Amino acid sequence: GELACVEIVDADRAVVAKEKSESKVSPSFERFLASVGEVEDLAKKQDMVDRFLEDHQRKSAKSAQAFPIIEDGIAHFVYRGAASDVAVACDVFGARQEKKMQQLAGTNMYYFGLELPAKQRISYIFLVDYKPMADPLNSRSMTSSMYAGEMEFAIRLRNEKPLEMSWFGMSQWTLPKWMDRPVGSTAISGKMKSASIEIEGSPNFEFDVYLPPSYEKNTERQFPTVYVHGG
């Protein structure tokens, strides 16, 4: 499906291509990055990062959402911690896709900026040294019914546990009624039941069924059914 062209040239003609980042940052975030870059002392650099994140969290205390840092229509994903490779994956990129996060030189902070529509809500994860991780700075999380493992389609990885993802809304996104419950609450109306179908010559097909809260009480009622078939 693809072709590659290789050209051999003299060493003095060779040009090393610099990796281009798809990351976008707001003017104020760029000023912060520049201010840290001007400092040579590593301990001071790290202190500036810690104070920047703590100040942002304090300013956002009244909001349910502090991270990612949203400014000028850009969501700045931020990861702080020891790692050799950090990437971000999300609904916008899709399955089997990720974007490498940039490390702020001399610190343990990684970042990636993504421009998004003002009314959009997305789910995302970090891949820290190739292992999926929900955002430690974001208290909003959900269990994905679409993805498992490293953003692979869940239907292909039935033996892997569901993927826990972080989520957030942009500046003009509003919380719909069906999501209006305390952050971190696992309460749900109704219940989930697992079932399976025997298929001759094949492994049993396993699936989940959501039953509304009145299902077992209204034994005479015929409930409408929605089938969600992944893949």
Side-chain angles (χ1 to χ4, degrees), residues 10 25 52 59 74 101 120 122 129 140 172 190-191 196 198:
D10 294 334
V25 295
F52 173 77
K59 291 175 183 176
I74 298 174
M101 297 176 70
Q120 189 160 358
I122 73 168
D129 291 337
R140 288 178 160 179
Q172 294 182 28
K191 61 183 179 181
S196 64
E198 293 185 12

Side-chain angles (χ1 to χ4, degrees), residues 70-92:
I70 299 175
E71 294 176 341
D72 300 328
I74 298 174
H76 302 87
F77 300 97
V78 176
Y79 175 79
R80 178 178 55 183
S84 59
D85 187 275
V86 183
V88 60
C90 66
D91 299 331
V92 176

Side-chain angles (χ1 to χ4, degrees), residues 90-201:
C90 66
D91 299 331
V92 176
F93 306 148
R96 308 188 191 101
Q97 302 294 321
E98 62 193 59
K99 301 296 181 183
K100 185 177 179 65
M101 297 176 70
Q102 295 174 268
Q103 183 176 11
L104 181 52
T107 75
N108 65 356
M109 189 186 104
Y110 295 79
Y111 65 94
F112 185 90
L114 181 63
E115 191 171 8
L116 293 168
K119 295 182 178 181
Q120 189 160 358
R121 186 206 73 85
I122 73 168
S123 304
Y124 68 100
I125 59 167
F126 293 142
L127 294 164
V128 181
D129 291 337
Y130 312 103
K131 293 182 180 179
M133 174 191 294
D135 186 350
L137 297 174
N138 185 353
S139 61
R140 288 178 160 179
S141 63
M142 47 80 75
T143 303
S144 175
S145 60
M146 176 70 74
Y147 303 116
E150 298 180 22
M151 294 296 285
E152 175 62 88
F153 286 119
I155 196 168
R156 296 177 180 272
L157 300 172
R158 289 193 166 273
N159 294 327
E160 287 203 19
K161 64 180 181 180
L163 186 61
E164 293 296 320
M165 302 182 73
S166 301
W167 67 269
F168 70 96
M170 292 296 285
S171 58
Q172 294 182 28
W173 177 80
T174 55
L175 192 74
K177 290 182 178 180
W178 63 270
M179 290 182 73
D180 190 10
R181 62 188 189 192
V183 173
S185 171
T186 56
I188 186 171
S189 299
K191 61 183 179 181
M192 299 290 289
K193 290 190 69 174
S194 296
S196 64
I197 297 175
E198 293 185 12
I199 303 175
E200 187 176 350

Side-chain angles (χ1 to χ4, degrees), residues 22-72:
E22 299 177 51
S23 176
K24 294 185 177 181
V25 295
S26 67
S28 62
F29 196 86
E30 190 170 26
R31 285 194 295 271
F32 160 70
L33 297 177
S35 66
V36 177
E38 293 172 356
V39 175
E40 294 184 1
D41 184 83
L42 296 182
K44 189 174 180 180
K45 281 177 178 281
Q46 190 59 52
D47 183 60
M48 291 174 70
V49 167
D50 294 340
R51 283 191 287 109
F52 173 77
L53 297 179
E54 288 166 7
D55 288 347
H56 174 74
Q57 201 155 19
R58 187 165 51 253
K59 291 175 183 176
S60 307
K62 294 182 180 180
S63 171
Q65 176 181 297
F67 294 93
I69 300 172
I70 299 175
E71 294 176 341
D72 300 328

